[in-house]
Amino acid sequence: MSTDAVLRVRNLSVGFRIPGGSMQAVDAISFDLRHGETLGLVGESGSGKTLTSLALLRLLESPPAEFSADHVTFEGRDLQSLPEAEMADLRGARLSMIFQEPMTSLNPLMSIGRQIDEPLVRHLGLNHRAARHRTLELLARVGIPRPEAAAQSYPHQLSGGMRQRVMIAIALACRPAVLIADEPTTALDVTIQAQILELLRELQDELGTAILLITHDLAVIAEAAHRVAVMYAGRIVETGPVAQLFRAPLHPYTEGLLRSIPRIARIREAELPEIPGVVPAPGTLPPGCAFAARCAFAAPKCIAERPTLAPTGTDREVACWNPRNG
Amino acid sequence: MADLLEIHGLRTHFPVLSKLLRRRIGTVRAVDGVDLSVRPGAVLGVVGESGSGKTTLGKTILRLIEPTDGSITFEGRDITHLPPADMLALRARMQIVFQDPMSSLNPRMTIGRILAAPFEIHRVAKGTDLKDRVADLLRLVGLPAEAAHRYPHEFSGGQRQRVGIARALALRPALIIGDEPVSALDVSIQAQILNLLKRLQAEMGLTYILISHNLGVVSHICDEVAVMYLGRVVERGTREAIFFDPKHPYTEALLAAVPMPDPGTRRAHIPLTGDVPSPAHPPTGCAFHPRCPKAMPRCAIEAPRPATFAGGHVVACHLHAE
Amino acid sequence: MLGFIFRRVLQSIPLLIGVSIIGFALMHLAPGGPLAVYTLNPTITNQDIERIRIVLGLDQPIHIQYIKWATGMFTGNWGYTFFGGRPVLWVILERMPATFLLMGSALSLAMMIGCSVGVLGAVRRYSVFDMLATSGAMVALSFPTFWFGLMAIYAFAIKLGWLPSGGMYELGEEDNIIDLLRHLVLPVMVLSLVIMAVWSRYARSAFLEVMHQDYMRTAKAKGLRAPARLWRHAFPNALKPLIALLGIELPALFSGALVTETIFGWPGMGRLFVDALNMKEYPSLMGMIMFTALFVIVGNLVADVLIAIIDPRVRL
């Protein structure tokens, strides 16, 4: 694996304490986020992608959540064992996050300006005047018209797209090394989504921030990510560069997912290829491959033994006993 | 063939009331002069961004919301002002499937009770006949028979949507309006439901109006498409016309903004700037002109009249006047 | 903001009129009516009662009576007490400082302690402290105020003899502030106990709700430390429902004060009300009902304005 990773995750697990035991929601996942790249983490609901992102920033409420890892290395430090005070110094400064719902993610009682000032004052030690000056620059940079007026306004006065721009301004205020974007465009209309993805791309070029883009939408990954990791039932089943992975998916789940998206094409398919069945509920995973029950290519080995994520070809990994297009 | 549904000049306006005296101080023109028609057995897609009025349009057609102006003709009958008693009988003929089936299924009722309700309300079946019909419905949407004894929370989102569809189908309607029926579902489940909808349509000769923001879904299932912007249909036509020969700049921009699940096929981006204006204060002239890359001075003054082109392709844009 | 206050004041007017009509009607429907007090007096004949009826205007149609009475209320003529013939407004204003002193002290104490207990309980949810606070509040809410009052007198005044058992001051000590405070301790303690319990529960749930909001997660993701998150982000949001509660709880506070004043012989409006009730002093009762209504309405008005100051969405 590449050595220039800014964030290195090894065997990260997230579980929940439930009466009579614990329920594993994220099951020993490993990945690298490289300098300046966008890594897409894609999965359906319940795949554990959001829990992964919250665990990385240590934002999960514990208890009930418990997380463990061999190590989560960020800029040479293990985030897992870092004291909370040092972790807080990193959050919003070197390691930022934006969320799915820009409406509820902003404090409704605080002006936009004050909410962007906060990380500047906290991490860069700016006084309030300097912070406000920088806030206005940031507002202009993320494409908000009339920054002075916007700084005085409150979240409810802005549209969804504008609120997400504010969230981006907050997250990138201190020029972080890593931005975790959890479904940043899911709540937005397509035309606004295109604007936000474009903005993230521009800012990444400018600041060199590595982005972990979490989404359920493969089309967003295709458009915005360099590499992708596909999650299924709390595990990563496949990783690789976007172009190769989309052209020739190795895991049957990735293949099924890609084929089941309705596309705008002149000749339409009579029937969409579907993946039968449903995702197994957390805590009810079979001993073998979690996808085996829905997989058209499942062999006895798939049901008995769990495949691990192993490198194949150039820069690709797959967790499957019978990879496709192999 | 006569159209199953015809809408003329349909308007649905909501009053904006003042805080204190609840006086009317403005109007939200959610649906503002829509003409549409649907042939029997066709699938009409209604697309648009949030605030375009597509959901209000669907609810107005079913008269879940009362229209302000215009007419709705269903199966040759003007239903715009039909009294509530007659509407009840009519509701058996036109049904709706919502985005989130969880909130439209009573959590304290078994699936069997939920599916039996339409038969009981319209007094068409009881006793063992009722049981058989419920079992038929479950089979039709691909749910096991024992589902009848279980409660909504025991099902996944996809299965609940199957229940929602089964309930809509109970009285063998002619028209089903789907309001974002697959938007809350994961892609792999979405494909299952879309296939189910398509199969049912072929088997039962249903007519659909599919309201969706997902252009991929619309292109997959619809024969005709209407594009809405701020309460008006800016362009309508066949699936081929809208997706592969769009004329209205808004349709072009909307299509350009749709991300494609194929890396490398990056289209010439026409990223629309700005947001959808508030339907309470729509811009003058063509409502799209402040965001339109091709706007002319005339667009700010005069609302374009719809012009009809070959194949029933209708466009409301000054660039495409008759 | 001024526009908001103006609108809100206008809205209170119909409310006040409504309350006055209900109050007026209730008094007239009460058994015996306003002249019941005279019928018990053997020296007053039926003719006398008839004369009084005419003098007081009680022979006129009810709506005329109401308008006369309401006009009087508005212009400060709240009528005269049956016994002593003093202006009702004076009598009420005379008793007001004592009541406000008691209520204000009790409310301040209850809010400070109740909120702190609630916030701590929310932050350390399910801790030993939280459990104790929860059960403590339950106990406080389960016993009636008068029982607490009597227990407090028994323990602190009679058994221990630390504090006076009632009244506002010892004879000849009217200007002694220490003496006043000594008399204030027990009634304030008893009155604030229940309010404190209510506030700790509400503060706990308000904070718990706020702490699970998405913006609290954003605040943490920004790197803000716990005190900044608690005071800058959680507190104003949690304060909103608590201020609304303050408005709603005012009538309960009044009735609590009534009981407390009676137990401790505190010379406030509560005692006046109970005395007036016993003696069927209609003008005083009406006056006090209107005074309380006015106070509650103004209290709610103030609460709404405070909420509007905190929350920009309400100001529109």
Side-chain angles (χ1 to χ4, degrees):
Chain A
M1 249 181 228
S2 158
T3 48
D4 59 349
V6 59
L7 180 69
R8 183 171 298 208
V9 178
R10 288 295 172 275
N11 291 324
L12 173 75
S13 294
V14 181
F16 287 95
R17 240 188 274 164
I18 51 167
S22 80
M23 189 191 76
Q24 202 80 335
V26 175
D27 193 3
I29 65 165
S30 303
F31 63 88
D32 283 352
L33 179 63
R34 299 169 192 167
H35 278 289
E37 78 163 352
T38 297
L39 172 67
L41 192 58
V42 71
E44 298 183 281
S45 44
S47 63
K49 54 190 192 302
T50 293
L51 285 175
T52 303
S53 66
L54 293 174
L56 290 177
L57 268 182
R58 295 195 3 210
L59 291 176
L60 283 171
E61 204 170 313
S62 170
E66 295 170 323
F67 88 107
S68 66
D70 289 353
H71 60 92
V72 179
T73 314
F74 173 70
E75 296 188 323
R77 291 198 276 181
D78 191 354
L79 295 184
Q80 203 191 187
S81 55
L82 218 54
E84 174 57 30
E86 285 177 48
M87 191 68 211
D89 288 341
L90 286 181
R91 285 192 205 109
R94 303 298 303 151
L95 197 57
S96 286
M97 185 157 182
I98 55 177
F99 303 95
Q100 175 172 352
E101 290 294 339
M103 178 74 237
T104 54
S105 295
L106 289 166
N107 187 337
L109 306 187
M110 202 186 263
S111 72
I112 297 298
R114 280 186 64 202
Q115 301 197 45
I116 307 177
D117 292 345
E118 270 188 336
L120 295 166
V121 173
R122 159 79 172 87
H123 296 298
L124 305 182
L126 299 184
N127 64 30
H128 281 273
R129 269 193 56 200
R132 182 49 60 96
H133 185 74
R134 179 89 187 99
T135 292
L136 296 179
E137 282 175 7
L138 281 163
L139 281 168
R141 181 61 199 87
V142 297
I144 290 180
R146 286 176 282 111
E148 269 94 3
Q152 305 289 327
S153 64
Y154 289 86
H156 73 278
Q157 294 165 312
L158 303 183
S159 69
M162 288 297 154
R163 284 184 212 126
Q164 197 58 292
R165 286 172 193 268
V166 170
M167 283 301 292
I168 292 172
I170 292 172
L172 298 183
C174 304
R175 301 176 158 254
V178 168
L179 171 70
I180 299 174
D182 184 12
E183 303 269 10
T185 58
T186 304
L188 307 174
D189 280 315
V190 276
T191 60
I192 310 299
Q193 167 170 287
Q195 294 172 10
I196 297 292
L197 292 178
E198 183 64 36
L199 176 67
L200 283 175
R201 197 160 29 225
E202 283 172 27
L203 288 168
Q204 179 172 50
D205 288 347
E206 231 173 89
L207 307 173
T209 302
I211 299 177
L212 182 64
L213 177 66
I214 290 154
T215 178
H216 70 285
D217 192 342
L218 282 162
V220 167
I221 296 283
E223 193 123 314
H226 303 107
R227 287 194 310 128
V228 55
V230 182
M231 283 189 83
Y232 184 78
R235 297 165 185 172
I236 291 181
V237 297
E238 177 167 11
T239 72
V242 166
Q244 281 101 301
L245 186 136
F246 276 66
R247 189 174 354 98
L250 296 174
H251 199 283
Y253 173 64
T254 316
E255 188 187 46
L257 212 52
L258 279 168
R259 292 180 59 194
S260 64
I261 304 171
R263 281 152 215 264
I264 302 175
R266 236 172 234 284
I267 300 154
R268 54 177 157 175
E269 293 167 280
E271 198 158 74
L272 278 175
E274 53 185 67
I275 302 175
V278 292
V279 182
T284 65
L285 290 192
C289 173
F291 188 61
R294 302 175 76 189
C295 184
F297 312 99
K301 189 180 187 185
C302 303
I303 292 154
E305 204 179 324
R306 186 183 152 187
T308 51
L309 195 65
T312 50
T314 40
D315 205 15
R316 297 188 69 173
E317 297 167 301
V318 66
C320 181
W321 296 121
N322 297 310
R324 312 285 298 149
N325 301 301
Chain B
M1 206 175 357
D3 288 330
L4 180 75
L5 178 78
E6 260 189 81
I7 304 163
H8 280 295
L10 194 68
R11 282 172 215 277
T12 310
H13 293 179
F14 299 110
V16 181
L17 300 176
S18 72
K19 283 238 159 165
L20 179 56
L21 297 170
R22 319 302 303 161
R23 266 176 318 161
R24 193 188 181 109
I25 52 169
T27 304
V28 173
R29 300 160 185 275
V31 176
D32 201 23
V34 167
D35 299 315
L36 280 179
S37 58
V38 197
R39 288 176 289 110
V43 181
L44 169 71
V46 179
V47 300
E49 296 177 275
S50 42
S52 64
K54 53 189 194 300
T55 291
T56 309
L57 175 67
K59 289 185 174 165
T60 309
I61 292 171
L62 286 170
R63 289 205 34 221
L64 297 173
I65 299 174
E66 289 299 318
T68 312
D69 193 20
S71 70
I72 308 162
T73 310
F74 179 70
E75 294 185 319
R77 190 153 78 133
D78 187 341
I79 62 160
T80 325
H81 304 291
L82 220 54
D86 296 335
M87 267 322 284
L88 180 67
L90 198 72
R91 291 249 156 81
R93 303 286 302 152
M94 47 206 297
Q95 279 290 329
I96 189 162
V97 176
F98 295 102
Q99 170 173 355
D100 175 15
M102 194 57 191
S103 59
S104 61
L105 300 178
N106 186 338
R108 288 158 199 275
M109 274 162 80
T110 60
I111 301 301
R113 301 268 347 124
I114 290 170
L115 292 181
F119 298 113
E120 289 165 347
I121 291 166
H122 291 268
R123 295 163 207 266
V124 289
K126 54 182 176 185
T128 43
D129 181 27
L130 184 63
K131 267 192 181 156
D132 289 346
R133 290 206 190 200
V134 169
D136 285 346
L137 278 177
L138 287 172
R139 199 173 317 119
L140 197 62
V141 297
L143 286 173
E146 70 262 20
H149 307 295
R150 287 161 45 195
Y151 289 87
H153 72 265
E154 298 176 59
F155 292 87
S156 68
Q159 289 168 321
R160 282 198 289 263
Q161 196 55 292
R162 285 175 196 266
V163 175
I165 292 168
R167 181 173 58 180
L169 290 173
L171 300 166
R172 303 222 140 229
L175 175 71
I176 290 186
I177 296 183
D179 187 1
E180 305 273 9
V182 296
S183 300
L185 306 175
D186 280 318
V187 202
S188 67
I189 308 301
Q190 173 179 293
Q192 295 174 6
I193 299 296
L194 285 176
N195 286 338
L196 173 70
L197 286 172
K198 233 175 165 176
R199 202 191 74 222
L200 291 170
Q201 191 216 1
E203 282 173 13
M204 303 172 72
L206 294 165
T207 307
Y208 291 147
I209 295 179
L210 183 77
I211 295 162
S212 179
H213 69 279
N214 188 328
L215 292 163
V217 166
V218 168
S219 87
H220 176 72
I221 202 168
C222 298
D223 308 309
E224 283 172 53
V225 181
V227 182
M228 285 189 76
Y229 190 77
L230 279 179
R232 293 181 193 197
V233 173
V234 294
E235 183 167 8
R236 69 188 148 101
T238 60
R239 167 187 182 273
E240 287 71 25
I242 297 295
F243 286 104
F244 303 103
D245 183 23
K247 293 191 187 299
H248 200 287
Y250 177 64
T251 313
E252 287 175 10
L254 201 57
L255 284 169
V258 179
M260 293 291 167
D262 307 291
T265 58
R266 179 148 303 155
R267 299 126 292 118
H269 248 294
I270 315 176
L272 274 188
T273 50
D275 293 304
V276 180
S278 152
H281 306 282
T284 56
C286 171
F288 184 56
H289 85 263
R291 298 175 80 194
C292 183
K294 297 174 181 170
M296 306 173 287
R298 185 185 174 191
C299 302
I301 304 157
E302 192 188 335
R305 295 160 63 85
T308 309
F309 294 86
H313 191 168
V314 180
V315 186
C317 176
H318 288 308
L319 289 170
H320 302 278
E322 264 168 309
Chain C
M1 194 69 212
L2 281 175
F4 172 83
I5 296 173
F6 180 71
R7 283 201 306 270
R8 195 56 194 72
V9 169
L10 277 186
Q11 275 174 318
S12 311
I13 292 170
L15 197 61
L16 201 57
I17 293 174
V19 170
S20 71
I21 291 176
I22 293 170
F24 186 78
L26 275 179
M27 278 301 141
H28 273 259
L29 293 173
L35 297 178
V37 64
Y38 296 111
T39 54
L40 300 174
N41 190 334
T43 62
I44 294 181
T45 62
N46 279 351
Q47 284 147 338
D48 290 334
I49 288 179
E50 204 49 43
R51 216 175 49 244
I52 294 168
R53 191 188 296 281
I54 292 164
V55 167
L56 291 179
L58 292 173
D59 58 332
Q60 285 168 336
I62 188 119
H63 62 275
I64 302 281
Q65 286 186 43
Y66 171 74
I67 289 168
K68 278 194 170 166
W69 171 78
T71 325
M73 278 279 148
F74 196 68
T75 53
N77 175 12
W78 289 26
Y80 298 86
T81 57
F82 287 156
F83 298 96
R86 304 176 58 214
V88 168
L89 190 58
W90 282 31
V91 174
I92 292 174
L93 290 180
E94 220 171 64
R95 298 295 192 99
M96 198 180 69
T99 295
F100 278 16
L101 177 67
L102 176 64
M103 276 186 8
S105 317
L107 191 63
S108 315
L109 186 73
M111 273 166 62
M112 275 191 302
I113 297 180
C115 280
S116 314
V117 168
V119 172
L120 226 71
V123 175
R124 308 237 160 89
R125 199 179 175 186
Y126 303 136
S127 63
V128 175
F129 174 83
D130 187 31
M131 305 280 187
L132 284 176
T134 303
S135 7
M138 283 306 145
V139 171
L141 287 171
S142 329
F143 289 97
T145 305
F146 74 84
W147 185 83
F148 278 120
L150 296 177
M151 284 301 117
I153 291 172
Y154 178 74
F156 295 103
I158 297 171
K159 276 283 161 194
L160 297 169
W162 292 351
L163 295 162
S165 65
M168 201 162 162
Y169 31 70
E170 301 300 325
L171 276 176
E173 299 280 352
E174 282 84 353
D175 296 324
N176 186 343
I177 192 97
I178 303 293
D179 182 56
L180 176 65
L181 288 178
R182 270 170 49 83
H183 280 84
L184 199 57
V185 172
L186 283 185
V188 164
M189 209 171 78
V190 168
L191 180 56
S192 63
L193 194 64
V194 174
I195 314 169
M196 209 183 289
V198 172
W199 274 77
S200 71
R201 301 309 296 155
Y202 273 96
R204 180 177 181 272
S205 68
F207 264 85
L208 272 181
E209 197 191 317
V210 166
M211 286 195 307
H212 287 99
Q213 295 294 315
D214 288 350
Y215 52 78
M216 292 308 295
R217 194 180 56 187
T218 306
K220 194 168 184 185
K222 278 177 178 178
L224 298 184
R225 297 187 185 95
R229 297 203 303 269
L230 194 65
W231 295 113
R232 230 180 299 155
H233 288 272
F235 188 69
N237 279 290
L239 200 59
K240 250 182 62 188
L242 294 181
I243 291 175
L245 176 72
L246 182 63
I248 296 166
E249 281 282 305
L250 275 181
L253 183 63
F254 247 112
S255 60
L258 193 140
V259 176
T260 312
E261 286 183 6
T262 311
I263 297 167
F264 289 95
W266 191 261
M269 286 159 57
R271 268 256 315 270
L272 181 66
F273 190 81
V274 175
D275 292 348
L277 207 57
N278 285 333
M279 295 193 275
K280 298 200 172 12
E281 269 274 12
Y282 282 87
S284 306
L285 286 176
M286 284 302 296
M288 238 156 343
I289 286 173
M290 286 312 292
F291 185 85
T292 317
L294 192 69
F295 180 75
V296 169
I297 287 171
V298 170
N300 274 288
L301 184 76
V302 171
D304 279 4
V305 171
L306 284 176
I307 288 172
I309 289 172
I310 296 177
D311 191 343
R313 288 166 298 182
V314 180
R315 256 176 254 165
L316 301 172

